[in-house]
Amino acid sequence: MDLGLHGRIALVAGASSGLGLAIAKELAAEGADVAITSRDETRIRAAEREVADAGPGRVRSTALDVRDTAAVEAWVADTAEALGGAHIMVANAGGPKPGMASEFGVEDYREAVELNLLSSIAMTTAVLPHMRDAGWGRLLYVTSVAVKQPIPHLALSNTARAGVLGYAKSLVHDLGDAGITVNVLAPGLTRTARLESMAGDDVEAGIASMAKSVPLGRVGSPEEFAAAATFLASERASFITGTVLQIDGGATASLS
C-alpha cells in the first residue's frame, strides 16, 4: 500500500528514542523527509543516523527543549526553509514523573503542563502557517491511554495530557476546511525505556506482570505504535480527524 508520503516533510519531536524515534523511522521508510528533535545533542545525532538508514529521504536533527517556545519556532522555520515546507507534525514529549495526585504541588503540575500541553500548542502554532500554505497537513499528538482512562499513579500525566486532548479536539473544526487533520495517539503499555524504568529491578518479570492486564497478553512495541501513527499521517487517512486512537492491545475498558 502506497501511503502517499513520498516528498512530504515531517517534524517529529522527542525523537531520540522510544515512540518518537520509531515514528520518525517509519515515516522515513515511507519516503518522507524527516526533521527530528530532542534535548540531548549526542542522542539526537545518533537517532539521525538511524532515521537516515530507514528511508531514502532527507533527514535533519536539532537539539532543543520543547518547552522553549522560541527554539520550537526556530526549529519549524529552519526545517521549512531547508526542506521546502512542513506537512506533518508529531507533537511528542517525555512523560512527567509518576506519582499519586496528592503527592504533587502546584509547581509540579505547572511543569507537567509546560512539558506536555504548552509544548504541543507551541509546535502547532509554529507549523500551522506552513500547513495552511500547502493546503495539506497532519497534526498528531502523542499522549497516553490516560486520556481515556486515568491511571492513578500517573496523576501529572493524566492532567497534562487531558489538556492536549481538549486542545486537539478544539482544532478539528477550526482546521477542517484547510485540509488539515488532527488526531490523538493514545499508547498503552509499550516497551520503551520509560516502561522498563517502571518495571522494577527485574525488568523482564516486571514487564511480564504488566502484560497480564493486556488482553493480547503482551506489551506493545514502538514499531507497532509507529505503524499506526504513520497511517494517520498519510494520504490514506484523509477522512480521519478528531479521533483518539488507543494502541494498547485492548487494555482500556472505557466505552467512549
Side-chain angles (χ1 to χ4, degrees), residues 181-247:
T181 65
V182 185
N183 291 291
V184 175
L185 296 154
L189 293 172
T190 310
R191 185 143 187 173
T192 61
R194 177 172 167 81
L195 189 71
E196 290 178 348
S197 73
M198 298 168 65
D201 294 334
D202 187 336
V203 173
E204 296 306 323
I207 295 291
S209 179
M210 292 177 184
K212 293 176 182 178
S213 66
V214 181
L216 287 182
R218 62 180 179 83
V219 302
S221 72
E223 292 73 22
E224 289 171 312
F225 179 84
T230 299
F231 176 74
L232 288 178
S234 75
E235 189 65 47
R236 294 280 186 163
S238 58
F239 201 59
I240 302 174
T241 193
T243 65
V244 182
L245 180 60
Q246 298 157 213
I247 309 165

Side-chain angles (χ1 to χ4, degrees), residues 94-105 108-109 111-112 115-116 144 146 151-159 161 193-200 210:
K97 57 190 174 184
M100 303 297 283
S102 61
E103 294 176 18
F104 301 111
D108 296 307
Y109 284 98
E111 289 174 8
L115 175 63
N116 292 123
S144 161
I151 301 167
H153 68 281
L154 296 179
L156 295 179
S157 181
N158 295 339
T159 303
R161 295 191 193 280
R194 177 172 167 81
L195 189 71
E196 290 178 348
S197 73
M198 298 168 65
M210 292 177 184

Side-chain angles (χ1 to χ4, degrees), residues 90-189:
V90 180
N92 177 46
K97 57 190 174 184
M100 303 297 283
S102 61
E103 294 176 18
F104 301 111
V106 172
E107 284 305 314
D108 296 307
Y109 284 98
R110 182 174 287 113
E111 289 174 8
V113 167
E114 288 179 352
L115 175 63
N116 292 123
L117 173 57
L118 296 183
S119 69
S120 295
I121 295 172
M123 285 183 262
T124 303
T125 302
V127 80
L128 274 180
H130 303 285
M131 292 183 175
R132 289 185 186 277
D133 285 347
W136 194 99
R138 300 287 186 265
L139 291 168
L140 298 179
Y141 299 94
V142 179
T143 60
S144 161
V145 289
V147 302
K148 300 293 287 289
Q149 186 171 293
I151 301 167
H153 68 281
L154 296 179
L156 295 179
S157 181
N158 295 339
T159 303
R161 295 191 193 280
V164 176
L165 176 56
Y167 176 65
K169 288 286 190 177
S170 300
L171 287 170
V172 173
H173 285 284
D174 192 4
L175 301 177
D177 61 359
I180 301 169
T181 65
V182 185
N183 291 291
V184 175
L185 296 154
L189 293 172

Side-chain angles (χ1 to χ4, degrees), residues 7-11 32-36 57-61 75-87:
R8 294 296 186 187
I9 299 161
L11 298 95
D33 297 327
V34 184
I36 59 175
R58 296 168 293 175
V59 182
R60 289 170 54 87
S61 66
W75 173 50
V76 174
D78 291 347
T79 297
E81 181 177 358
L83 300 183
H87 304 112

